[in-house]
Amino acid sequence: MYGVCGCCGALRPRYKRLVDNIFPEDPEDGLVKTNMEKLTFYALSAPEKLDRIGAYLSERLIRDVGRHRYGYVCIAMEALDQLLMACHCQSINLFVESFLKMVAKLLESEKPNLQILGTNSFVKFANIEEDTPSYHRSYDFFVSRFSEMCHSGHDDLEIKTKIRMSGIKGLQGVVRKTVNDELQANIWDPQHMDKIVPSLLFNLQHVEEAESRSPSPLQAPEKEKENPAELAERCLRELLGRAAFGNIKNAIKPVLIHLDNHSLWEPKVFAIRCFKIIMYSIQLLSHLDANSRSAATVRAGIVEVLSEAAVIAATGSVGPTVLEMFNTLLRQLRLSIDYALTGSYDGAVSLGTKIIKEHEECMFQEAVIKTIGSFASTLPIYQRSEVILFIMSKVPLPSLHHPMETGRTGENRNRLTQIMLLKSLLQVSTGFQCNNMMSALPSNFLDRLLSTALMEDAEIRLFVLEILISFIDRHGNRHKFSTISTLSDISVLKLKVDKCSRQDTVFMKKHSQQLYRHIYLSCKEETNMQKHYEALYGLLALISIELANEEVVVDLIRLVLAVQDVAQVNEENLPVYNRCALYALGAAYLNLISQLTTVPAFCQHIREVIETRKKEAPYLLPEDVFVERPRLSQNLDGVVIEFLFRQSKISEVLGGSGYNSDRLCLPYIPQLTDEDRLSKRKSIGETISLQVEVESRNSPEKEERVPAEEITYETLKKAIVDSVAVEEQERERRRQVVEKFQKAPFEEIAAHCGARASLLQSKLNQIFEITIRPPPSPSGTITAAYGQPQNHSIPVYEMKFPDLCVY
């Protein structure tokens, strides 16, 4: 019966007759549109027949492929596409199975045209939103086949390009079809990502090959549209854009493996391009940790890719916390320092150990520092402040809370770590703009930073000065003071000067003496070079512009005059260059501050001294000192008073303009504390001085009553003036106490503390005796032993009261 029906067309099922009618006698005529419309109407009217229609079309297509009748193959695929677009009923799943079976048959063919035809049909299918879910559909074959097409090595360049582009489009279709459907196969599984991502990167990597064969001008627009690299980049962006937080790891890991396997970190061009596409992810940092023992060039490539990717700062990009990111980079910096010192990754050189090249580690360290700066530049102010505090907390300092390694290797490690971390801090602070200096330089950060400013290492001191300059410079005046000079008119510098704010005034009241002390002590360092004096000049100038009020100006002038005294008296036995540099530094700063204060008499005095030096002692001016070949005098003992800036003259001329002349008359004396030499070993007396600082005053019994003094205007004026002197005397007294505990023998310190303890105990005994002693009795006293009168307490009911008290 079935055989008869097969031979007689009128007895065949209707759906088969409708399918047969869409095929013309000559395949070049194409699909019969009227009959196709009938087939589509029938499929919509009888959706239960849709699966049979699909199975029959599949049967015909497989037969035509086997007989190499490719015209009918194209007609069958076109019919399938139209049926897919038109039908969205519940029976579509069975029809899709037949459709995917036919697409797989085309993709398995060796003919490029059939592969491209199958891919195009699959892409159309991927863009269809199905009404009913599918629980059993699998796309493993399509992922594998499309990935294989992405790596096509066909001899014909044009055909190879078309096959690769078809593979990329197919992968894009698989991602679109499965990524948002939880019931579909999980495309984010490593077995799929390990095929999809490398296939896309392979086409990205070979963009140079396509560009090297430049087409003719007439063909250029068409070729630009057929670029596999651009299509792969677009597909990769779409893939990562659809990734959730839990899936990003599986998408990024194949990228890192691809870069490792093909050694693409060292040229870093392709790696940077990849991570500009995928933005920044947590996996690159963890990959850096995983490659901590790789060659320095490989690690430097990873870090530089991080640096380039950080500039993008994509909104909502997935990444670790800010401090975790910087902690990873700082840890890599410490490891690199250890590698450079030990010469190997294992801490000891042995047979078979890979020897490390020191210059490569230096290159890696510079790359890490640059990356830290790139990351910090993308952060808001409050996060940069946290990063600054975090980096400063990692700087090893010789204190009780931050023990340092001993031995020669330990000292080298400490020094290199300090230098690298301060370099990182300088990178972060560059361009840091904060209106409130209390927030920019909090006390805990400033204390640690200034502690490093007094270390013996000249390079470390220079970094600290540059960091302070970066924080204080908020109007871009820093580069205008890069050269020390005595300009007759500073208007050519075009300085940006604003009035000192209230917050800045509060900051200077709290920290000014601390800053002055460290500037003063830094000037006295014997190992200072020209860069140090340029940094000191820049720091003084920027404080005068950014943070100065009248009180600060007076203190800065006193400070610079004290520096001039250091060069003149030379108690520190400084070299000739250092003494000339201090003279020149004072001349340059006083020339600047005199023109900023705009007091004519002050400016005249400064110019007179500078002109005198130009004529008779040019070696005391910056134009002769801060040059490549300084012109110095071998004998500075003959510096006469005409070459010096006189404190009395300056206080006189500024006092007439409203400045505090009495304070100007007082010489500057730094407040010496236990932090002045953190880089040196602490003595026991210095540690004790932290607890016992103030000398006991004279006891009240020894004080003599001073007769009352008549209060007049002169008395009040004298009291105001004396208050400043008393403050200076108090500082001097404290300094003496600290020196006593530092230099005195232990027995003397112990005796002194014992005497104070005895005095305190006697005072306590007197207080206890007064408080415990009973009140005197109304009945009088009785005589105790040893002839001493003793009060005796009598009960109230036995007391005898006068008659007037009885009612």
Side-chain angles (χ1 to χ4, degrees):
M1 181 65 183
Y2 290 107
V4 174
C5 293
C7 296
C8 184
L11 298 177
R12 300 180 69 194
R14 186 182 180 189
Y15 73 90
K16 286 189 177 183
R17 283 183 281 133
L18 292 173
V19 170
D20 292 336
N21 292 336
I22 66 174
F23 292 93
E25 292 184 2
D26 186 1
E28 293 184 0
D29 294 339
L31 182 68
V32 180
K33 295 183 179 180
T34 57
N35 292 335
M36 185 65 212
E37 292 175 357
K38 294 178 182 178
L39 177 63
T40 304
F41 178 78
Y42 176 76
L44 292 173
S45 302
E48 68 276 2
K49 301 292 185 180
L50 191 60
D51 58 332
R52 297 185 183 184
I53 296 174
Y56 184 61
L57 274 171
S58 176
E59 180 184 342
R60 287 203 56 155
L61 182 138
I62 293 173
R63 184 174 66 243
D64 292 336
V65 170
R67 295 176 180 178
H68 304 287
R69 296 191 295 186
Y70 300 125
Y72 289 121
V73 172
C74 296
I75 293 173
M77 291 307 301
E78 185 179 354
L80 284 170
D81 293 342
Q82 292 190 21
L83 288 174
L84 274 176
M85 298 297 294
C87 302
H88 294 281
C89 60
Q90 293 182 354
S91 303
I92 190 70
N93 284 332
L94 296 177
F95 177 73
V96 168
E97 294 300 324
S98 300
F99 168 78
L100 293 178
K101 183 179 178 181
M102 287 182 280
V103 171
K105 184 67 177 177
L106 295 179
L107 294 177
E108 288 175 346
S109 173
E110 296 181 357
K111 298 291 183 180
N113 292 335
L114 295 184
Q115 296 176 14
I116 296 172
L117 178 64
T119 302
N120 294 336
S121 295
F122 183 85
V123 171
K124 293 177 183 178
F125 161 70
N127 293 326
I128 297 175
E129 295 184 4
E130 300 181 47
D131 297 335
T132 56
S134 175
Y135 299 95
H136 58 280
R137 195 178 300 161
S138 175
Y139 295 95
D140 295 354
F141 168 79
F142 296 100
V143 172
S144 300
R145 183 56 185 158
F146 289 139
S147 299
E148 184 180 349
M149 292 171 64
C150 290
H151 293 81
S152 174
H154 200 279
D155 296 335
D156 192 328
L157 177 61
E158 185 176 356
I159 295 177
K160 179 175 68 175
T161 301
K162 290 181 178 180
I163 294 176
R164 288 186 178 183
M165 290 190 65
S166 295
I168 297 171
K169 290 177 181 178
L171 291 177
Q172 191 176 27
V174 173
V175 172
R176 288 178 179 177
K177 195 65 180 175
T178 60
V179 71
N180 292 326
D181 192 349
E182 295 180 357
L183 299 176
Q184 300 284 5
N186 189 1
I187 199 66
W188 301 108
D189 287 343
Q191 60 179 348
H192 299 312
M193 286 291 107
D194 290 345
K195 298 175 182 178
I196 295 175
V197 174
S199 301
L200 299 177
L201 295 179
F202 176 80
N203 286 275
L204 270 176
Q205 184 179 350
H206 288 75
V207 63
E208 294 85 0
E209 181 181 350
E211 291 177 352
S212 62
R213 299 176 174 88
S214 57
S216 61
L218 295 176
Q219 295 177 340
E222 183 179 357
K223 291 292 182 180
E224 288 177 1
K225 295 180 182 179
E226 298 178 353
N227 188 351
E230 293 180 1
L231 184 60
E233 179 177 344
R234 200 161 55 244
C235 183
L236 185 59
R237 289 183 185 274
E238 182 179 351
L239 174 69
L240 295 168
R242 295 173 180 267
F245 179 78
N247 302 325
I248 190 68
K249 179 179 179 180
N250 293 339
I252 301 300
K253 189 175 180 181
V255 179
L256 303 175
I257 295 175
H258 182 84
L259 296 176
D260 286 342
N261 293 339
H262 296 272
S263 303
L264 297 173
W265 290 114
E266 295 182 29
K268 79 182 179 182
V269 177
F270 179 71
I272 290 174
R273 185 181 179 190
C274 289
F275 275 87
K276 281 187 175 181
I277 295 172
I278 65 178
M279 300 304 176
Y280 174 70
S281 170
I282 186 174
Q283 292 304 308
L284 191 54
L285 278 176
S286 60
H287 192 67
L288 179 60
D289 281 337
N291 284 271
S292 59
R293 295 195 176 188
S294 299
T297 53
V298 174
R299 286 180 284 127
I302 298 175
V303 170
E304 289 175 3
V305 170
L306 271 171
S307 176
E308 295 289 339
V311 180
I312 302 172
T315 304
S317 59
V318 180
T321 61
V322 174
L323 295 184
E324 180 186 352
M325 174 180 61
F326 282 93
N327 190 35
T328 300
L329 293 174
L330 295 180
R331 182 170 63 249
Q332 291 297 323
L333 204 56
R334 283 179 172 271
L335 287 174
S336 178
I337 293 172
D338 291 339
Y339 296 159
L341 289 175
T342 59
S344 70
Y345 297 118
D346 301 323
V349 180
S350 59
L351 187 61
T353 302
K354 186 176 181 180
I355 304 302
I356 295 175
K357 298 179 181 179
E358 188 174 354
H359 71 277
E360 292 182 353
E361 291 298 329
C362 293
M363 179 185 67
F364 169 72
Q365 293 162 12
E366 293 298 328
V368 171
I369 293 171
K370 177 186 174 183
T371 303
I372 289 175
S374 298
F375 274 124
S377 64
T378 63
L379 298 176
I381 294 297
Y382 73 95
Q383 282 190 331
R384 290 182 74 175
S385 300
E386 291 179 359
V387 171
I388 288 168
L389 292 175
F390 180 75
I391 296 176
M392 193 66 220
S393 67
K394 298 291 184 180
V395 178
L397 294 176
S399 64
L400 296 177
H401 302 288
H402 296 84
M404 300 181 69
E405 299 182 42
T406 56
R408 185 172 184 83
T409 304
E411 291 177 358
N412 291 336
R413 183 178 289 106
N414 291 329
R415 179 182 178 276
L416 290 175
T417 304
Q418 290 165 350
I419 290 176
M420 291 303 163
L421 291 179
L422 289 175
K423 276 186 177 181
S424 305
L425 195 60
L426 181 60
Q427 283 283 339
V428 177
S429 62
T430 302
F432 184 77
Q433 298 291 335
C434 186
N435 295 328
N436 189 353
M437 290 303 297
M438 295 291 290
S439 301
L441 295 172
S443 298
N444 54 347
F445 170 77
L446 189 61
D447 292 342
R448 290 182 58 81
L449 182 63
L450 292 180
S451 297
T452 58
L454 297 175
M455 289 186 173
E456 296 180 351
D457 193 287
E459 188 175 1
I460 292 177
R461 295 200 310 272
L462 181 60
F463 279 128
V464 174
L465 293 173
E466 291 178 349
I467 291 169
L468 284 173
I469 290 173
S470 296
F471 278 110
I472 296 175
D473 181 25
R474 293 173 294 184
H475 294 88
N477 292 316
R478 176 181 183 178
H479 65 282
K480 300 173 184 178
F481 302 111
S482 58
T483 302
I484 307 178
S485 61
T486 54
L487 293 173
S488 58
D489 185 9
I490 63 171
S491 61
V492 297
L493 297 177
K494 298 181 180 179
L495 300 174
K496 299 178 183 178
V497 183
D498 282 345
K499 185 178 180 181
C500 182
S501 64
R502 181 178 176 275
Q503 292 86 353
D504 295 342
T505 303
V506 173
F507 173 80
M508 290 304 292
K509 283 187 176 180
K510 185 176 182 180
H511 298 293
S512 60
Q513 295 302 322
Q514 191 179 12
L515 285 171
Y516 302 154
R517 180 178 72 248
H518 285 79
I519 293 174
Y520 177 80
L521 295 175
S522 296
C523 290
K524 296 170 66 175
E525 292 291 341
E526 185 177 348
T527 55
N528 283 344
M529 305 297 290
Q530 179 176 340
K531 290 184 178 180
H532 293 82
Y533 295 111
E534 290 174 350
L536 287 167
Y537 173 69
L539 182 59
L540 288 169
L542 289 172
I543 292 176
S544 305
I545 293 174
E546 299 281 353
L547 307 172
N549 51 27
E550 289 187 2
E551 182 180 351
V552 173
V553 169
V554 169
D555 287 339
L556 287 173
I557 293 174
R558 292 173 58 221
L559 171 63
V560 173
L561 292 175
V563 171
Q564 178 183 258
D565 293 339
V566 169
Q568 183 182 9
V569 179
N570 196 24
E571 292 180 352
E572 306 290 334
N573 294 322
L574 296 175
V576 174
Y577 174 79
N578 295 63
R579 295 177 66 186
C580 292
L582 292 181
Y583 280 120
L585 175 65
Y589 176 73
L590 290 175
N591 175 69
L592 174 68
I593 197 66
S594 64
Q595 297 185 54
L596 289 176
T597 54
T598 64
V599 178
F602 184 30
C603 296
Q604 182 181 356
H605 171 67
I606 301 301
R607 292 310 306 175
E608 287 176 355
V609 176
I610 291 175
E611 292 299 328
T612 305
R613 289 185 180 185
K614 283 183 179 179
K615 295 178 181 178
E616 303 181 25
Y619 50 85
L620 302 181
L621 292 175
E623 286 77 7
D624 278 28
V625 176
F626 301 118
V627 291
E628 185 176 354
R629 294 182 178 180
R631 295 178 288 273
L632 308 177
S633 172
Q634 297 301 323
N635 184 16
L636 294 179
D637 297 331
V639 175
V640 296
I641 193 172
E642 287 78 10
F643 299 162
L644 302 178
F645 302 99
R646 288 170 289 170
Q647 191 161 6
S648 58
K649 179 66 175 179
I650 293 175
S651 61
E652 177 184 348
V653 296
L654 288 180
S657 299
Y659 289 87
N660 191 343
S661 59
D662 296 324
R663 187 174 181 84
L664 272 169
C665 291
L666 295 174
Y668 172 76
I669 300 176
Q671 295 178 348
L672 299 179
T673 66
D674 60 292
E675 295 176 345
D676 290 338
R677 286 297 172 207
L678 276 179
S679 61
K680 298 181 178 179
R681 188 183 302 274
K682 285 190 171 187
S683 64
I684 297 176
E686 186 175 354
T687 305
I688 297 175
S689 67
L690 298 178
Q691 301 175 358
V692 184
E693 182 182 354
V694 182
E695 190 88 15
S696 62
R697 301 285 185 177
N698 293 329
S699 60
E701 290 84 354
K702 297 181 181 180
E703 292 182 356
E704 298 180 358
R705 183 176 298 275
V706 181
E709 183 179 359
E710 184 181 359
I711 299 176
T712 61
Y713 172 77
E714 295 295 330
T715 305
L716 293 174
K717 183 178 179 181
K718 183 179 179 182
I720 295 174
V721 174
D722 290 344
S723 63
V724 179
V726 170
E727 182 181 355
E728 297 292 339
Q729 292 174 2
E730 180 68 17
R731 292 174 185 169
E732 179 66 19
R733 186 188 60 77
R734 292 193 178 194
R735 186 183 66 81
Q736 293 175 0
V737 172
V738 173
E739 288 184 356
K740 178 179 179 181
F741 279 89
Q742 288 177 342
K743 300 178 180 179
F746 177 75
E747 293 79 5
E748 182 179 344
I749 297 174
H752 175 73
C753 293
R756 293 190 58 194
S758 300
L759 177 62
L760 177 61
Q761 186 63 40
S762 64
K763 294 296 183 184
L764 289 175
N765 291 337
Q766 291 179 14
I767 295 172
F768 291 151
E769 184 179 356
I770 293 173
T771 56
I772 298 175
R773 180 185 300 163
S777 173
S779 61
T781 61
I782 60 175
T783 302
Y786 308 105
Q788 296 293 334
Q790 182 178 2
N791 293 319
H792 189 273
S793 180
I794 301 174
V796 177
Y797 58 84
E798 293 183 0
M799 292 181 183
K800 296 180 180 180
F801 295 97
D803 295 338
L804 296 176
C805 295
V806 179
Y807 293 95

